[in-house]
Structure formats: structure tokens, C-alpha cells
Amino acid sequence: KIYANTDLQSLKQYLTITANYSDGTSEIIQSDDCVLSGELSEGTSVITVSYGNKTTSFNVEVDHPTLDSITAVFNQNGETVYDNDDIQSLKQYLTVIANYSDNTSSTLQSSDYTLSGTLSEGTSVITVSCGGKTTTFNVTVEASEVVLVSISTSFNQGANKVYTNTELNSLKQYLTVTAN
């Protein structure tokens, strides 16, 4: 396939160049003896062949490069990833590169690809997807810190009487506090 970044001179391998003379004779010219000019761009491109002071041209179909594969480079930079983190937060440590059929590549924006997998304590395998291509990377995950989110109480005084002069701390015997 021919792509826009194909070296123009490499097209010579596909050429047969014939020189026609005024006496009716002709000969095949070595492609190294001619000069190619023009620009390759997607679609049909016109390329000019020059030999001596004569020129001719031909058309070449230039293909659009397709996505061959993606690669992911994950650099956690010593940051701790917890099992309760949002998987999308990993994008800040990730470089995803798209590799195309014309041997070019480009770095993708975080909005260009998706992440899937589960963050579990230890090593988690995360899948990166873009344009029907996938790759994976490993991330080291720690168990999330236990943080007090709320408390709930249940007060069961039963038949016991509480008076206005009752010490507040004495009510603890009737109280159940649950930490969440």
C-alpha cells in the first residue's frame, strides 16, 4: 500500500519507463535514471516522471492509514492507587499511543480511549480500548483506607427513669453507637 508518507522514490520499483525515439525505436529506461516529482496525498495523486527534457505522469492511489494497534505506557510515579479509586483516575498516569498502518504513531488524548477492569488489592490488569484495538497494563493497588463515614445511635432506656439531674454520662449504659 502507498500512504501519504511513503518515500516518493520508492515508487520507482513499480515503474516501467519506456523512451520513444524519433526513428521509431524505443528502449526501457532504468528507473534510477529518471526523476519523480509530485506529492502523495490521500486519494489519487499525480506523479511526474522526468527523463532528459521529457516528462510524463501517472496516477497513484494513496490509502488512508488504518489503526494497527495501541500501546499503553503506565507510570504510576510512586503514587498510591487504592481499590476504591475510580478507574478513570488512572488516565493521569497513562500514555496511550496509536500505531498506524503507514508506520506512523500518535499520542492519544484521554478522551480518545476507554479503560476497563477492576482495581483490586495487589496487581490489577487494566484494559485500554480504542478503535477496536486493545492493550493491557498492570497497576499496583493497595487496599483503601478505612475512613469513618458516619455513626448511628440507638437509645434503649427501657423502664428506667431519667431525671433532669441525671448525669449525662450515666446514659451511656442505654446507648448503642455504631460506626460506619
Side-chain angles (χ1 to χ4, degrees):
K1 294 195 173 210
I2 308 293
Y3 300 104
N5 69 343
T6 299
D7 177 34
L8 193 61
Q9 299 311 310
S10 71
L11 297 180
K12 288 181 178 182
Q13 65 183 317
Y14 306 110
L15 289 179
T16 301
I17 304 162
T18 305
N20 298 306
Y21 298 101
S22 60
D23 66 358
T25 61
S26 62
E27 72 175 313
I28 303 278
I29 303 298
Q30 295 295 318
S31 61
D32 290 342
D33 295 335
C34 67
V35 176
L36 299 183
S37 59
E39 185 175 320
L40 295 173
S41 57
E42 286 182 37
T44 303
S45 294
V46 177
I47 305 301
T48 301
V49 180
S50 299
Y51 174 72
N53 61 355
K54 301 296 180 193
T55 62
T56 188
S57 61
F58 64 93
N59 293 336
V60 61
E61 291 301 315
V62 180
D63 289 322
H64 176 74
T66 57
L67 181 63
D68 276 348
S69 65
I70 57 174
T71 55
V73 178
F74 184 70
N75 186 352
Q76 203 166 334
N77 296 324
E79 295 293 323
T80 303
V81 174
Y82 294 104
D83 59 3
N84 65 344
D85 285 346
D86 178 9
I87 194 170
Q88 300 307 313
S89 69
L90 299 179
K91 288 184 175 184
Q92 64 186 314
Y93 310 117
L94 190 61
T95 301
V96 177
I97 300 169
N99 305 300
Y100 298 99
S101 57
D102 64 351
N103 295 319
T104 61
S105 61
S106 65
T107 302
L108 298 177
Q109 300 294 316
S110 62
S111 58
D112 294 336
Y113 59 87
T114 59
L115 299 180
S116 60
T118 303
L119 295 175
S120 302
E121 184 178 4
T123 300
S124 293
V125 178
I126 305 300
T127 300
V128 182
S129 301
C130 176
K133 305 296 179 186
T134 61
T135 190
T136 61
F137 66 92
N138 295 333
V139 58
T140 302
V141 181
E142 291 188 18
S144 59
E145 298 176 14
V146 177
V147 178
L148 179 62
V149 176
S150 66
I151 60 170
S152 57
T153 59
S154 172
F155 185 71
N156 186 4
Q157 143 181 11
N160 299 308
K161 295 199 181 236
V162 175
Y163 300 99
T164 56
N165 64 348
T166 302
E167 235 181 88
L168 284 179
N169 280 333
S170 69
L171 297 179
K172 289 181 181 179
Q173 61 183 325
Y174 310 119
L175 187 63
T176 302
V177 178
T178 305
N180 300 306

